[in-house]
Amino acid sequence: MTFHSGRPRAEAPSLLAGLTIEEKIALLSGASLWQTVGYPDRGINPMTLSDGPHGVRVGAEVDLIGTPQTATAICFPTASALSCSWDTALARTQGAALATEARRAGVDVVLGPGMNIKRTPLGGRNFEYFSEDPYLSGRLAAAIVAGTESGGVGTSVKHFAVNNQEYDRFTISAEVDERALREIYLRGFEIAVTEGRPATVMAAYNAVNGVTCTENSRLLTEILRDEWGFDGVVVSDWGAVSDQVAALKAGLDLEMPASDGMGAAAIRDALESGELSEADIDRAAARIIELSSRFAASDRPEPAAASAAELVELARSVAQQSIVLLRNEHDTLPLARTGTVAIIGEFAEKPRFQGGGSSEVPVASFATARTEIGRFLSPEQVRYVRGHDGEQVDRALLDEAVAVASEADVALLFVGLTEMAESEGYDRESLSLPASHLALIDEVSAVSPRTVVILHKGSVVDMASWHEKVDAILDLNLGGQEVAAAALDIVFGEVNPSGRTSETVPLRLEDTPAYVDYPGAQRRVHYRESIWVGYRYYDRRKMPVVYPFGHGLSYTEFEYSDPRATVGDDENVTVEVTVRNVGERAGFEVVQVYVRDDVSTVPRPDRELRGFTKVWVPAGEAVTTRIELDRRDFAFWDEHRDRWAIESGAFTLEIGHSSRDIRASVSVELTGDTQSVVVVDRRTPLGYFLDDPEFAAKVERIMRAVPLLGGGAEIPPESQRIVDEVINGMPLEKLRLVSAGAFSDDDIAGLLERRSHQDEFTRPSLKRTATDKGHPLMPTAGGVAL
Ligand code: BGC
């Protein structure tokens, strides 16, 4: 589905025609920190761009060290939390709410969503991003874009591309192979751009394979525009342009913020020298004019007319859907409203609900657990202690916490990462919680009859060392200003939890796929783990993890039955499954569909998320869900041919509650693309050609005579295998040598010519099966019998 908003975009050429070349050049750089240049008397309004992504930073003439801001805004759940909702409709609603906020504040383009892949859990901005998985990221980003733009406000999908760390973020080059680029790092952007149709895309600070993103014509023009059909404005990240002429040529339209005329001067010089043509300038200027007429015009669509109170309520309901119940031993949660509760930890008073840097929103209010608990318990039932003062253990506060916990029926422990731990601008150094929080978990859980950890953090933390000590864990991520209210709604059972992790929780930092190649050096970081990111890596290596991707508990239980998959005429696949709520409470289930290519020539992940849906199932009832997959969901990036490819054969569709809790599976047979994934030339192994009977017969005849292969003697059975393999693996061109000229160069050329139109080349001995991934199976068929 595509979404368009605003006025028709046909007027740009006539508006452009009314401008002088100087005026056009001026349009290509910002007028100030947040504003673009405009000529209102000529019908081109200046635009206000503002962060983003989970709240509208209004009038924020802010620097990174916190110059005071002038207005407050609502802080919605950050992407770290929203992603755990696995709910595109909800993301769309949050996007629409951002439009309402933006319009109220006079903002025309909100700088978000951020959607880089969480390559390492240490990434400083992981809280602003969705997932380790590109499909989940892309679908949620597309929904936010659609929601915001339907309210007449533009979005900026960022940071394009491969901006996965803060360390050296301005100068680092992400060295990534084409397959990982396409399947992991660009795939989410591709979905967001083609499905959501964002008004702008923000070019990142870093370089990709040596070319800085703002000057990267491959990314900004060939892939983004030519392949994906993006027709909006490419804007630079703030200050990311170092050569505006090169950037303009590569496909960047708008340099932000203002550069004191430096960019304009360089463009003027390049125009004079002939390096740039007026058409280059017109192209970018026209796009900026179009953007302005869509989003800075007076007649754009009205956003949802929600009051501030309604938006605050929305922030809370998004948080409710996003919180993940990671652990719930002996049905510790929900709590009854009887008995006594110890509330421990400063976050109960000052919750962490957002991260630092450009996304930080000055809020007018926020919910706290200390206040919210009053909705459920009387003051006599509750004791609060701070438990810590900063990151280091404070013995007196800890002792007080232990004393209070040992007298209460339940301890609610409010812990997580501190404010300094997560911010734009720098990465984290470890996965650890602060010592003071760890000590609380350790000592409180030892004395409390039931300990519930309420976790505040925007990225993965170490849990292996403590999760089994506590009875329940509620993971809030950074859930926006109302997250404390939402958390208590779940703790006391007003809301049945339905969040699912959007990122694997590994056992240790050393287990993470990028561990040895992060953060890089000498301006380069090598993505040697390639496509093996997140659960793709842990699953292939069959590694135990603390909590897998897609995990999350509910207060009810679901059973899956009757999985079906039908392949349509267009080879799109419809997956259906029945989900029955076999518990006592109504609840949401997130049905996840993973795809595996059963047998493939290239290594492919054991499972890849290709579909999901969140369904409400009343207690005792069953709902049949349907998830559509298209051809691309079965494809991989064929590096040799530089295109997506599908190999014919069986694919398994796993349907489940998490990536490691598969409840049903079905198989489909698909016809592959019309091109083989095998490189066919003079060096192609012989084995690929032996399905040609005429050729195979000749090979057999000749090979029988080769001295090394027995010179015509009977081959003992135990040697048959080695003989087969030698022949199968020999490059075609070697035939001339081993046949002592019986095969000429012309024969080889003739064979290649004869087979050049062939679609599929299969050499069974090189196929890999999902049951023994990583190691080619031994020959199952094929080869020549000598
Ligand atoms: C960040 C962007 C942000 C921009 C404007 C940059 O430092 O990387 O995400 O939109 O500043 O604040």
Side-chain angles (χ1 to χ4, degrees):
M1 201 187 317
T2 57
F3 301 89
H4 280 291
S5 59
R7 296 197 297 196
R9 307 165 91 196
E11 63 193 2
S14 61
L15 293 174
L16 184 72
L19 300 182
T20 65
I21 184 74
E22 277 301 322
E23 288 170 331
K24 290 192 266 192
I25 293 174
L27 272 180
L28 311 185
S29 298
S32 66
L33 195 48
W34 303 111
Q35 233 133 21
T36 64
V37 169
Y39 308 105
D41 54 331
R42 251 81 49 80
I44 302 167
N45 289 334
M47 291 172 279
T48 301
L49 283 50
S50 194
D51 289 303
H54 40 261
V56 180
R57 285 192 3 149
V58 197
E61 292 291 331
V62 174
D63 56 33
L64 283 176
I65 51 170
T67 307
Q69 309 197 11
T70 51
T72 58
I74 294 168
C75 179
F76 293 95
T78 69
S80 69
L82 179 63
S83 57
C84 297
S85 73
W86 289 60
D87 189 335
T88 51
L90 198 67
R92 197 187 152 115
T93 307
Q94 178 162 315
L98 288 172
T100 306
E101 283 274 276
R103 293 290 286 275
R104 180 177 62 73
V107 167
D108 306 307
V109 177
V110 175
L111 302 174
M115 55 174 311
N116 296 97
I117 290 292
K118 303 188 195 199
R119 173 178 182 243
T120 163
L122 298 180
R125 293 182 87 169
N126 279 7
F127 70 91
E128 283 187 66
Y129 303 145
F130 297 106
S131 178
E132 65 190 21
D133 181 82
Y135 181 79
L136 183 59
S137 303
R139 294 296 314 282
L140 291 169
I144 291 179
V145 166
T148 305
E149 299 208 357
S150 70
V153 172
T155 56
S156 195
V157 169
K158 68 188 187 184
H159 307 89
F160 191 63
V162 208
N163 180 189
N164 312 99
Q165 63 186 56
E166 291 300 279
Y167 178 85
D168 271 356
R169 69 168 166 160
F170 300 113
T171 49
I172 200 100
S173 174
E175 303 289 309
V176 55
D177 65 72
E178 189 66 17
R179 191 168 164 211
L181 189 65
R182 297 298 193 140
E183 292 185 24
I184 306 291
Y185 296 100
L186 295 185
R187 181 66 187 132
F189 283 101
E190 181 180 9
I191 295 171
V193 165
T194 54
E195 231 181 77
R197 306 285 305 267
T200 82
V201 167
M202 186 188 288
Y205 289 126
N206 56 289
V208 174
N209 293 331
V211 184
T212 193
C213 287
T214 50
E215 295 168 24
N216 200 318
S217 58
R218 181 135 194 279
L219 285 176
L220 303 186
T221 299
E222 286 170 37
I223 294 178
L224 181 63
R225 294 191 190 279
D226 300 348
E227 280 187 34
W228 300 349
F230 175 68
D231 59 0
V233 164
V234 175
V235 57
S236 72
D237 197 346
W238 265 231
V241 169
S242 58
D243 177 343
Q244 206 186 348
V245 172
L248 191 60
K249 286 207 290 199
L252 185 126
D253 305 303
L254 176 60
E255 174 203 41
M256 284 302 288
S259 63
D260 287 334
M262 286 192 294
I267 291 175
R268 230 175 279 123
D269 289 349
L271 199 58
E272 256 164 47
S273 73
E275 194 186 351
L276 281 178
S277 68
E278 192 163 344
D280 293 324
I281 291 157
D282 284 357
R283 193 185 54 222
R287 290 180 189 142
I288 293 167
I289 293 171
E290 276 182 4
L291 185 70
S292 161
S293 43
R294 283 178 71 198
F295 296 108
S298 49
D299 61 347
R300 52 194 163 144
E302 279 308 315
S307 67
E310 284 167 332
L311 295 181
V312 168
E313 195 45 43
L314 175 68
R316 173 173 167 179
S317 72
V318 177
Q320 288 170 341
Q321 302 299 315
S322 305
I323 291 172
V324 187
L325 179 62
L326 289 173
R327 178 178 170 87
N328 194 20
E329 293 299 289
H330 323 297
D331 291 334
T332 297
L333 294 181
L335 297 183
R337 298 181 191 200
T338 51
T340 54
V341 170
I343 296 191
I344 300 170
E346 206 179 22
F347 289 170
E349 261 186 312
K350 296 182 194 153
R352 270 204 72 228
F353 54 80
Q354 61 174 330
S358 61
S359 69
E360 200 169 336
V361 177
V363 294
S365 67
F366 56 88
T368 74
R370 266 198 90 180
T371 309
E372 294 294 325
I373 196 130
R375 289 193 283 126
F376 305 99
L377 301 178
S378 68
E380 298 73 47
Q381 292 174 282
V382 183
R383 288 264 328 257
Y384 166 70
V385 285
R386 231 167 99 214
H388 60 90
D389 180 14
E391 303 216 343
Q392 295 316 313
V393 176
D394 178 319
R395 197 62 249 177
L397 290 177
L398 186 56
D399 288 346
E400 184 190 22
V402 170
V404 168
S406 59
E407 282 165 16
D409 297 322
V410 182
L412 296 182
L413 261 181
F414 289 77
V415 292
L417 292 176
T418 57
E419 209 172 306
M420 283 302 292
E422 289 175 292
S423 172
E424 176 177 344
Y426 52 90
D427 290 337
R428 290 190 300 151
E429 282 163 16
S430 87
L431 297 187
S432 231
L433 290 178
S436 53
H437 295 216
L438 286 172
L440 276 175
I441 295 174
D442 209 36
E443 299 201 14
V444 166
S445 64
V447 298
S448 170
R450 283 180 294 161
T451 306
V452 178
V453 163
I454 301 191
L455 202 53
H456 303 60
K457 47 60 168 182
S459 29
V460 159
V461 295
D462 165 62
M463 291 191 210
S465 61
W466 57 263
H467 78 124
E468 283 175 340
K469 293 180 188 167
V470 303
D471 300 287
I473 305 172
L474 214 49
D475 188 357
L476 313 190
N477 284 290
L478 295 181
Q481 66 177 59
E482 298 306 307
V483 71
L488 289 193
D489 291 336
I490 290 176
V491 166
F492 288 97
E494 295 262 289
V495 169
N496 190 353
S498 62
R500 305 285 182 265
T501 58
S502 51
E503 197 179 355
T504 309
V505 182
L507 280 175
R508 346 170 274 159
L509 179 61
E510 292 82 350
D511 286 356
T512 59
Y515 181 70
V516 290
D517 282 311
Y518 162 85
Q522 297 171 322
R523 296 205 191 148
R524 288 196 296 177
V525 53
H526 292 277
Y527 285 35
R528 290 196 177 91
E529 72 285 1
S530 186
I531 60 165
W532 309 104
V533 177
Y535 64 88
R536 289 166 169 78
Y537 177 80
Y538 303 113
D539 284 358
R540 169 53 52 87
R541 298 190 59 133
K542 298 189 169 49
M543 288 166 79
V545 298
V546 185
Y547 293 110
F549 176 78
H551 166 77
L553 305 173
S554 162
Y555 293 154
T556 188
E557 281 291 329
F558 301 97
E559 273 178 15
Y560 285 58
S561 61
D562 205 12
R564 296 173 297 278
T566 26
V567 183
D569 293 342
D570 47 6
E571 288 232 316
N572 285 352
V573 176
T574 305
V575 184
E576 284 177 293
V577 71
T578 301
V579 178
R580 179 174 292 281
N581 182 340
V582 293
E584 315 266 279
R585 292 194 52 148
F588 282 109
E589 171 66 328
V590 176
V591 178
Q592 305 167 31
V593 177
Y594 297 87
V595 169
R596 164 168 61 245
D597 187 354
D598 289 351
V599 182
S600 59
T601 310
V602 298
R604 295 194 64 178
D606 295 32
R607 60 185 57 82
E608 295 186 273
L609 182 73
R610 293 297 196 232
F612 61 90
T613 182
K614 194 164 184 173
V615 282
W616 177 253
V617 194
E621 292 188 19
V623 170
T624 295
T625 62
R626 168 192 280 249
I627 293 168
E628 306 281 346
L629 309 185
D630 64 20
R631 293 276 291 171
R632 176 66 79 75
D633 293 323
F634 299 89
F636 69 97
W637 184 261
D638 178 350
E639 288 199 294
H640 178 62
R641 293 189 171 72
D642 231 11
R643 48 165 297 215
W644 294 99
I646 300 174
E647 287 185 279
S648 298
F651 290 79
T652 300
L653 305 172
E654 293 180 323
I655 310 162
H657 178 83
S658 88
S659 62
R660 292 213 174 162
D661 185 0
I662 300 301
R663 303 277 177 91
S665 74
V666 275
S667 187
V668 287
E669 281 285 330
L670 294 183
T671 313
D673 289 323
T674 52
Q675 295 230 25
S676 151
V677 296
V678 175
V679 181
V680 180
D681 60 17
R682 296 174 61 85
R683 293 196 54 76
T684 304
L686 258 182
Y688 286 107
F689 300 94
L690 295 175
D691 54 347
D692 175 330
E694 193 189 319
F695 176 70
K698 190 167 176 191
V699 169
E700 184 181 339
R701 233 178 14 255
I702 284 162
M703 288 302 180
R704 273 179 179 279
V706 171
L708 189 68
L709 300 179
E714 190 68 19
I715 295 172
E718 64 276 17
S719 303
Q720 185 65 52
R721 168 80 190 280
I722 186 170
V723 171
D724 284 355
E725 284 302 311
V726 166
I727 294 170
N728 270 318
M730 194 166 67
L732 188 59
E733 66 187 5
K734 288 278 172 237
L735 266 183
R736 205 177 129 242
L737 182 73
V738 297
S739 68
F743 271 102
S744 67
D745 273 345
D746 284 351
D747 290 335
I748 293 170
L751 176 73
L752 284 171
E753 174 59 29
R754 212 163 62 240
R755 305 288 299 258
S756 66
H757 307 297
Q758 186 167 344
D759 289 340
E760 287 278 326
F761 281 79
T762 314
R763 183 186 175 206
S765 62
L766 282 191
K767 286 262 183 178
R768 290 157 198 263
T769 74
T771 49
D772 190 16
K773 292 275 183 177
H775 301 284
L777 276 190
M778 292 307 151
T780 50
V784 227
L786 287 177

